[in-house]
Amino acid sequence: MTKKKIVLLDGNSLAYRAFFALPLLTNDKGIHTNAVYGFTMMLETILDNEKPTHVLVAWDAGKTTFRHSTFTEYKGGRQKTPPELSEQFPYIRKLIEAFGIEQYELDLYEADDIIGTLSRECSEAKAEVVIISGDKDLTQLANEQTTVCITRKGITDLEKYTPQHIEEKYGIEPLQIIDMKGLMGDASDNIPGVPGIGEKTALKLLKEYGSVENVYQSIDQITAKKMKENLVTNKEQAFMSKELATIEVHAPIEVSLADLDFAGRNEEEVIQLYKELQFNSLLEKLDAPVEVQHLEEIEIQTVDEVTADMLTDTMSIHVEIDGDNYLSASILGIGLSNETNTYFVPTNVAASSAMLKEWLEDHATLKYASDSKSAYAAIARLGMELNGTDFDLMLAAYIVNPSFSTGEVAEIARSFGYHGVKSDEAVFGKGAKRSLPDAEQLAEHVARKAHAVWELYPVVSKQLEENEQQELFHELELPLAKILGKMEVTGVKTDLDVLQTIGQQLSERLALIEKDIYEMAGEKFNINSPKQLGVILFEKIGLTPIKKTKTGYSTAADVLEKLENEHEIIQHILLYRQLGKLNSTYIDGLSKEIHEDGKIHTRFQQALTQTGRLSSINPNLQNIPIRLEEGRKIRAAFIPSEPEWIMFAADYSQIELRVLAHISQDEKLIEAFKQGADIHTKTAMDVFGVSEEDVDSNMRRAAKAVNFGIVYGISDYGLSQSLNITRKEAGEFIDTYLASFPGVKQYMDDSIADAKQKGYVTTLLNRRRYLPDITSSNFNLRSFAERTAMNTPIQGTAADIIKKAMIDMDARLEKEQLQTRMLLQVHDELIFEAPVEELERLKEIVPEVMEQTLQLDVPLKVDWNHGKSWYETK
DNA sequence: AGTGACCTA
DNA sequence: CAAACTAGGTCACTT
């Protein structure tokens, strides 16, 4: 007989974990399904990986447990279970049943105790036990037979706690986890512990004394005065905490190993349940027919000729592309819809229709687009223009809430309660299995997307109205989409020869460095593999690892820099990495992106970032090297597309700090910018309390780092890292800064308070970002939300400003009938190509337009440069 | 598909 | 106490 293997799952803990790890999903009946889905994924993975002979899911019985008679406040202060999760518990139970797994709960006891008791019984019987939970408390149960798996991140990533792992991680034995909890407490269970003692201190005490009892027996040996005092005053509390943290391994349970036989799941029941919950991807895996989504009946007409009666004053439009790159992938067809009709126009029909062209180009007929930028660019490829765009579903949804915009019509539609359109994945498949459906299905899908836009127009518009974001949408994002489309289609001329020459030189240098590294290491290995590099540096050469990653030793640049004096191989590796990056990403990567027209056509994602910035992809032209000269040379490859033209670049100086001055209304900061002072020097004067002449370069550097930190939502740790000083010193810096700029301090506090009260923060032009984690009990999540609350209005307002400047700039170029073309935006910078005759005019209007686009209480300042390539605009 | 490393503002 | 400063994209390696 094969050896028994028992898997014990902590039902409540895993359900919570699944719920919070996944975004809210709903089935067509409006029941939330994310926790059930997550739980299912966990179950499938665990059963697959562990192949157990016996399984049990243990549940907490109710609110009151025997621990409450020890401490009435046990698990006090917990937020009540969200209703979206509560409604899912019955489904999780059904699911477990369908999987053929036993479930058990016991009055007055928690799931922990059931698991503890069973695992004791099983390990006494020498059976192998695997415990799965999100609660680290359970690690006290680990022993030679028992492994405790704790969810790490997401839902299927588990950290396995064996006695060895606990020893490595904490330096203690599993049972001492209880002592650790006794000393440090546990905020989530409201176990008090001893004040002032956290994980680090608790472990130190345990390594020295072994247990809570021994700590108190040897209390006189403890020299740290404050800690000793805390220990003495809270002695009772420490023992009580230890008791609370102890899992009962002799609970009066009525199940035993024999009851937990796992014979496999009932396929039919599982399929039935998956259908009800609409777990389509899981159904596919089971080779079960996916329930056909019930879609509202609409009549769709595929047209072989566009006729006048089809095209009305207002219609929605969706241009379907084969893939996501509308600049190069083929155009599959156009969907058009209004209140009476929905059409699919195949690409060849559209391309040859003068009637359609006239309608598309007419400013007086209004179009509601699914994604107007892609429509502009795609329609331009058919030799037509798109005018009269009055709505853009993707942009509108993004403005209402930047977090739920994937750019897919079906997904946006669903989040606004419209279910009449299938997801692209359902129609095309995904990954390697992606393929075009037959003509009829394609026509229906495209037409339905257009119809969805029509149906959603009033819904999303109303939301924009309620949020007071109509202006942001109509005056900023919508006109910008057209300009960005134009920029993408224009593209940037790129000189392949320049790239190849640099690439050649890089390759030669890399070969030499590679040889040196192999010699110093004494063997050949893959320098690009952090894993192999770690072995060479920290095992073979014997350097001291400074930081660890999840998978091994960290070999990040900041770690290596600290080791630079230890071994000469380090600097070679750093150089190899730096040059290798240039070669792979910038030389090879960019070369591949040059089209037949000799240009690179990036795409700007307008509905992606949480702050309102743009991002650039395929390729990313917003991260071309500049900091180091070797990389900067890449910029020489970006040149004007016409002979005798020049590149012209203009950037905002200190835009984020100016925005901070404006929105915080800090008098000193405003004054500094009004005087046109060097802001870092001015900051140094205030923070160090010296006069301008006495600010040395170190002070200025420190002040600059503080200014950056302030913009990012500062922490003492972050600043200490960037300045290589202690956390304490960094903290003092920040305090001094905030004391001398009280308006900034006030702004920081107000932003967080605002986010807590309203649930979101806003920019100057009323862009929103929701921050649900701002009230989280998880320190990490909450801190992150707080920094975001401080940073987003600043970064987002700067994004608003340059977007508005782009619109003004485009209008100005048009008005003055200039040939100059706007090519790129890099967050605080605009790059143009221009005929040399227009240079003098640009020097005047570019800074003027950018500086005057919005009136703040501080002036905006723009610097500009020009040259024969992007490299020369410095 | 996820991770670590490194490029930008 | 614990964890650790904003927003992105791409590459190579690994699973």
Side-chain angles (χ1 to χ4, degrees):
Chain A
M1 182 189 133
T2 49
K3 204 176 168 213
K4 285 178 181 157
K5 183 168 186 181
I6 299 93
V7 167
L8 302 170
L9 299 109
D10 183 343
N12 296 75
S13 160
L14 294 176
Y16 261 86
R17 181 74 203 190
F19 178 74
F20 287 107
L22 296 173
L24 279 178
L25 308 165
T26 47
N27 69 359
D28 55 3
K29 294 183 197 72
I31 306 274
H32 292 92
T33 57
N34 61 330
V36 197
Y37 184 75
F39 207 100
T40 311
M41 298 295 289
M42 286 188 208
L43 271 184
E44 290 210 336
T45 324
I46 291 158
L47 296 178
D48 263 12
N49 292 348
E50 305 293 343
K51 307 216 173 4
T53 55
H54 297 71
V55 188
L56 174 85
V57 176
W59 296 99
D60 295 341
K63 269 197 127 162
T64 316
T65 71
F66 71 90
R67 289 185 177 84
H68 287 89
S69 54
T70 308
F71 183 48
T72 49
E73 306 292 303
Y74 179 64
K75 293 205 170 174
R78 277 209 175 174
Q79 296 209 326
K80 71 167 204 281
T81 310
E84 293 86 354
L85 174 56
S86 301
E87 70 187 28
Q88 298 187 54
F89 278 113
Y91 290 91
I92 297 178
R93 291 201 179 227
K94 265 200 232 172
L95 178 97
I96 296 167
E97 215 179 295
F99 266 71
I101 294 171
E102 282 298 316
Q103 317 185 42
Y104 185 68
E105 60 190 85
L106 178 63
D107 252 3
L108 298 180
Y109 288 85
E110 296 180 61
D112 294 11
D113 307 309
I114 301 169
I115 291 174
T117 305
L118 274 168
S119 78
R120 176 190 53 80
E121 287 175 2
C122 294
S123 56
E124 281 171 8
K126 298 289 170 216
E128 188 182 350
V129 181
V130 177
I131 295 171
I132 322 273
S133 175
D135 184 350
K136 283 192 183 159
D137 273 9
L138 283 144
T139 55
Q140 63 183 268
L141 299 172
N143 61 34
E144 285 313 317
Q145 277 83 242
T146 309
T147 304
V148 183
C149 302
I150 303 296
T151 51
R152 187 154 38 192
K153 202 177 99 183
I155 43 171
T156 48
D157 184 10
L158 299 171
E159 183 170 7
K160 293 192 170 179
Y161 287 81
T162 57
Q164 292 78 14
H165 182 69
I166 295 171
E167 168 66 34
E168 274 168 35
K169 188 164 175 168
Y170 299 117
I172 56 175
E173 287 172 20
L175 282 173
Q176 289 177 298
I177 297 277
I178 309 172
D179 296 276
M180 181 169 133
K181 284 277 143 104
L183 292 169
M184 67 184 270
D186 183 340
S188 68
D189 287 345
N190 207 28
I191 297 179
V194 177
I197 295 187
E199 185 178 307
K200 293 282 151 65
T201 323
L203 287 173
K204 216 175 88 196
L205 286 169
L206 289 177
K207 273 176 212 161
E208 185 138 10
Y209 304 104
S211 69
V212 173
E213 289 76 7
N214 285 346
V215 167
Y216 281 97
Q217 261 173 26
S218 321
I219 192 85
D220 293 331
Q221 295 170 24
I222 293 174
T223 46
K225 209 173 146 214
K226 187 77 194 161
M227 182 163 79
K228 184 174 174 184
E229 193 187 308
N230 277 332
L231 281 165
V232 173
T233 17
N234 297 286
K235 183 169 177 180
E236 221 171 285
Q237 201 167 295
F239 280 94
M240 179 191 77
S241 297
K242 178 171 174 178
E243 191 187 331
L244 287 172
T246 307
I247 292 174
E248 176 61 61
V249 294
H250 290 95
I253 56 170
E254 292 147 349
V255 279
S256 64
L257 186 55
D259 306 321
L260 310 181
D261 236 6
F262 176 64
R265 59 192 192 185
N266 181 329
E267 290 290 320
E268 216 163 287
E269 273 180 46
V270 169
I271 289 173
Q272 196 48 46
L273 199 57
Y274 283 2
K275 279 186 181 167
E276 186 178 348
L277 296 162
Q278 290 173 332
F279 290 171
N280 293 342
S281 58
L282 294 175
L283 282 170
E284 264 172 45
K285 264 205 268 178
L286 293 175
D287 273 333
V290 174
E291 195 86 327
V292 182
Q293 212 176 340
H294 176 73
L295 300 181
E296 158 202 16
E297 289 284 321
I298 55 170
E299 199 192 325
I300 290 153
Q301 304 167 50
T302 299
V303 301
D304 46 25
E305 194 190 349
V306 178
T307 52
D309 59 304
M310 282 170 54
L311 303 170
T312 52
D313 286 352
T314 309
M315 291 189 97
S316 62
I317 178 168
H318 170 76
V319 183
E320 184 72 28
I321 309 293
D322 184 11
D324 61 1
N325 196 334
Y326 49 81
L327 297 174
S328 56
S330 57
I331 301 165
L332 298 175
I334 298 176
L336 295 170
S337 182
N338 58 24
E339 68 273 13
T340 49
N341 291 297
T342 298
Y343 304 99
F344 173 70
V345 187
T347 308
N348 59 335
V349 176
S352 59
S353 170
M355 180 87 63
L356 182 67
K357 180 170 160 56
E358 190 190 329
W359 180 81
L360 288 171
E361 295 183 351
D362 187 351
H363 288 266
T365 56
L366 298 185
K367 290 92 179 174
Y368 302 159
S370 55
D371 171 359
S372 65
K373 177 155 66 66
S374 121
Y376 290 128
I379 287 171
R381 288 170 59 201
L382 298 179
M384 308 173 184
E385 251 185 71
L386 175 63
N387 291 313
T389 318
D390 194 47
F391 184 71
D392 179 319
L393 178 66
M394 194 172 89
L395 279 180
Y398 169 70
I399 288 180
V400 165
N401 186 344
S403 71
F404 64 37
S405 192
T406 60
E408 246 225 74
V409 173
E411 195 146 335
I412 298 170
R414 209 175 325 129
S415 58
F416 285 94
Y418 178 82
H419 295 276
V421 59
K422 288 189 203 168
S423 70
D424 283 343
E425 201 181 307
V427 177
F428 298 108
K430 77 164 177 183
K433 280 194 269 172
R434 198 192 135 91
S435 65
L436 291 185
D438 64 41
E440 197 185 329
Q441 281 183 50
L442 177 70
E444 160 146 8
H445 185 51
V446 176
R448 279 189 180 276
K449 283 194 194 177
H451 188 64
V453 177
W454 181 265
E455 294 288 325
L456 287 163
Y457 166 77
V459 182
V460 186
S461 295
K462 183 162 162 266
Q463 190 66 55
L464 285 170
E465 195 66 57
E466 275 171 24
N467 291 5
E468 298 185 351
Q469 292 178 308
Q470 285 282 11
E471 196 177 329
L472 174 65
F473 175 67
H474 269 110
E475 309 299 323
L476 198 82
E477 298 293 355
L478 200 54
L480 182 67
K482 187 166 193 177
I483 294 168
L484 290 172
K486 198 157 73 179
M487 290 162 66
E488 294 172 355
V489 171
T490 304
V492 191
K493 174 91 169 173
T494 309
D495 188 335
L496 186 59
D497 288 343
V498 172
L499 290 180
Q500 280 173 344
T501 310
I502 301 174
Q504 189 74 45
Q505 293 162 359
L506 283 173
S507 300
E508 283 164 20
R509 287 181 68 189
L510 277 166
L512 292 176
I513 301 165
E514 190 183 63
K515 200 166 141 268
D516 288 346
I517 292 175
Y518 292 158
E519 245 163 56
M520 288 180 222
E523 65 178 286
K524 285 193 175 180
F525 66 102
N526 187 342
I527 308 168
N528 281 322
S529 160
K531 201 176 155 197
Q532 294 182 33
L533 180 61
V535 172
I536 295 286
L537 293 180
F538 304 113
E539 287 173 18
K540 185 157 184 197
I541 297 182
L543 296 168
T544 327
I546 293 180
K547 214 163 58 179
K548 269 189 172 180
T549 65
K550 211 191 302 183
T551 48
Y553 310 108
S554 167
T555 64
D558 62 326
V559 171
L560 296 190
E561 272 159 26
K562 293 196 174 84
L563 295 167
E564 214 166 347
N565 298 325
E566 308 292 318
H567 198 286
E568 58 173 344
I569 195 172
I570 300 290
Q571 58 184 62
H572 288 80
I573 288 167
L574 287 168
L575 188 60
Y576 181 88
R577 283 235 185 105
Q578 186 204 328
L579 302 181
K581 175 77 179 174
L582 292 179
N583 226 359
S584 63
T585 305
Y586 297 104
I587 302 297
D588 297 346
L590 290 177
S591 299
K592 273 188 253 157
E593 299 284 351
I594 302 177
H595 289 218
E596 294 118 43
D597 59 3
K599 291 173 164 187
I600 289 182
H601 299 266
T602 185
R603 279 174 298 137
F604 292 103
Q605 305 210 102
Q606 199 185 347
L608 184 137
T609 71
Q610 298 302 300
T611 55
R613 275 188 176 181
L614 301 175
S615 87
S616 156
I617 54 165
N618 294 141
N620 182 354
L621 292 186
Q622 289 181 323
N623 71 347
I624 304 302
I626 190 165
R627 234 182 61 246
L628 301 169
E629 179 56 28
E630 280 153 319
R632 191 174 200 156
K633 291 244 158 59
I634 306 274
R635 293 181 172 225
F638 295 95
I639 55 174
S641 65
E642 312 275 350
E644 306 301 312
W645 282 34
I646 46 141
M647 303 296 277
F648 188 94
D651 68 289
Y652 282 108
S653 155
Q654 308 293 354
I655 188 164
E656 289 181 333
L657 284 175
R658 286 171 202 264
V659 165
L660 174 63
H662 176 84
I663 53 186
S664 72
Q665 286 292 306
D666 184 278
E667 284 174 26
K668 262 196 184 153
L669 209 50
I670 290 178
E671 192 51 34
F673 280 120
K674 279 191 173 164
Q675 288 169 357
D678 174 324
I679 192 64
H680 301 316
T681 304
K682 184 74 180 44
T683 306
M685 288 160 61
D686 283 314
V687 173
F688 295 103
V690 296
S691 64
E692 191 170 347
E693 310 81 70
D694 293 332
V695 174
D696 63 30
S697 64
N698 262 335
M699 290 155 105
R700 189 176 179 281
R701 194 176 59 86
K704 190 171 171 180
V706 174
N707 279 330
F708 267 100
I710 290 293
V711 169
Y712 293 158
I714 203 157
S715 80
D716 48 8
Y717 177 82
L719 184 64
S720 74
Q721 289 298 296
S722 65
L723 278 177
N724 234 329
I725 56 175
T726 67
R727 215 181 62 195
K728 189 154 167 274
E729 289 165 331
E732 285 162 9
F733 256 137
I734 295 168
D735 289 343
T736 323
Y737 176 94
L738 292 176
S740 66
F741 295 95
V744 174
K745 169 90 172 86
Q746 188 66 46
Y747 161 75
M748 301 282 169
D749 297 344
D750 290 350
S751 296
I752 294 172
D754 224 37
K756 280 208 177 105
Q757 193 237 323
K758 294 192 298 209
Y760 60 87
V761 290
T762 57
T763 67
L764 197 60
L765 298 189
N766 223 8
R767 189 185 302 283
R768 276 188 190 190
R769 179 178 188 175
Y770 289 87
L771 298 168
D773 290 340
I774 199 97
T775 54
S776 169
S777 58
N778 178 323
F779 176 89
N780 241 344
L781 291 179
R782 191 179 60 248
S783 302
F784 189 75
E786 286 172 357
R787 291 193 295 274
T788 319
M790 299 185 261
N791 170 263
T792 297
I794 301 172
Q795 196 183 108
T797 300
D800 293 349
I801 292 172
I802 192 160
K803 281 178 167 177
K804 181 150 188 303
M806 291 169 78
I807 292 168
D808 293 349
M809 201 59 233
D810 183 73
R812 188 66 173 267
L813 291 173
E814 177 71 23
K815 184 178 156 220
E816 301 205 5
Q817 291 285 298
L818 295 172
Q819 291 174 270
T820 298
R821 300 173 192 139
M822 188 152 44
L823 300 178
L824 296 172
Q825 186 250 49
V826 191
H827 309 309
D828 65 354
E829 182 183 11
L830 293 177
I831 293 128
F832 305 85
E833 61 178 7
V836 76
E837 309 84 69
E838 292 179 7
L839 176 59
E840 291 309 312
R841 190 70 195 124
L842 289 182
K843 288 180 186 174
E844 283 173 28
I845 63 172
V846 174
E848 180 197 317
V849 168
M850 289 173 74
E851 286 172 0
Q852 302 306 320
T853 190
L854 258 176
Q855 293 304 316
L856 302 184
D857 294 330
V858 291
L860 291 173
K861 184 165 171 276
V862 169
D863 299 320
W864 50 263
N865 278 292
H866 60 89
K868 290 200 175 95
S869 71
W870 192 4
Y871 177 80
E872 289 181 31
T873 62
K874 61 171 182 177

